[in-house]
Amino acid sequence: MRSAFCHAVFVDTGATFLPAHDISALSALYLLSGAALIGFVFLKAKLPAAYLLGGMLVSSLGHLSELTPGKMPEWATISAFLVMGALIGTRFKGISAELFLKSIGAGLLVTLITVGMAILGVVLVMPIVGLDPSLLFVAFAPGGVEAMAAIAVQSGLDPTFVAAHHVFRLLLLTILVPMLLRGTKATSNANDEA
């Protein structure tokens, strides 16, 4: 039986689609300017995906307050995805075909492991929180914040719930990875001294 706490905390916000009309040019300018500024602050604070998180924060606040209503026009969304894809593609510059194939194998293995962990998480959490398993899977599955939120929107799931989980994962990794690396360094130094 679900506790009242779980029911109050883990709820679907009901946001399943984008606004019907496009954002005005002035509102878009406000959003982009605010996102650039907050992204720069996040970059100085050494947060991962600083400009992405800055854009999400400013856009969320702008839409929650209804100061910047509307969605980005289709041409802007498609352009952003094309630029993102092209930037990701540049990461493959200079690697050999052999390394590329090894990377694909490693990527598939890691993806299978993390998808398995996401499915296990859904199975364990679903009876407690009582949410749709597809919503939980997209929230727990491996992937970038923007891609998983886009999948949620296209699937008619709650993009706010999904994005919140992925942003939390990024923030958690920001804290845990440096701690783990420090621990690894300390162990390595102790082994070198012995």
Side-chain angles (χ1 to χ4, degrees):
M1 184 176 195
R2 283 184 291 161
S3 70
F5 173 76
C6 285
H7 183 65
V9 174
F10 297 100
V11 292
D12 187 334
T13 64
T16 55
F17 52 86
L18 293 170
H21 64 282
D22 287 348
I23 193 168
S24 71
L26 187 59
S27 291
L29 182 64
Y30 289 151
L31 279 182
L32 293 172
S33 301
L37 178 66
I38 299 300
F40 181 75
V41 171
F42 284 177
L43 187 67
K44 290 296 180 188
K46 298 190 181 195
L47 288 175
Y51 286 102
L52 174 67
L53 293 177
M56 286 178 63
L57 177 65
V58 170
S59 182
S60 298
L61 293 175
H63 284 84
L64 281 171
S65 64
E66 296 189 17
L67 291 173
T68 56
K71 64 179 175 59
M72 286 293 178
E74 193 73 18
W75 64 266
T77 304
I78 291 170
S79 300
F81 280 128
L82 287 172
V83 169
M84 236 185 324
L87 286 171
I88 292 167
T90 62
R91 305 291 183 186
F92 293 100
K93 180 182 182 291
I95 70 167
S96 66
E98 182 184 359
L99 180 58
F100 181 69
L101 289 173
K102 283 182 182 177
S103 298
I104 288 175
L108 285 172
L109 181 62
V110 169
T111 300
L112 286 173
I113 291 168
T114 54
V115 165
M117 290 172 67
I119 291 169
L120 179 63
V122 170
V123 169
L124 293 173
V125 169
M126 192 176 61
I128 299 168
V129 298
L131 293 176
D132 181 359
S134 56
L135 173 65
L136 291 172
F137 180 74
V138 176
F140 295 170
V145 178
E146 71 291 339
M148 301 312 283
I151 288 170
V153 169
Q154 292 299 320
S155 304
L157 300 170
D158 184 351
T160 308
F161 183 88
V162 170
H165 280 78
H166 287 282
V167 168
F168 179 75
R169 175 179 51 86
L170 283 174
L171 294 175
L172 192 63
L173 287 173
T174 304
I175 296 164
L176 287 181
V177 169
M179 286 171 57
L180 291 172
L181 289 175
R182 266 189 247 129
T184 305
K185 247 185 211 174
T187 305
S188 176
N189 289 340
N191 289 339
D192 289 345
E193 289 171 8

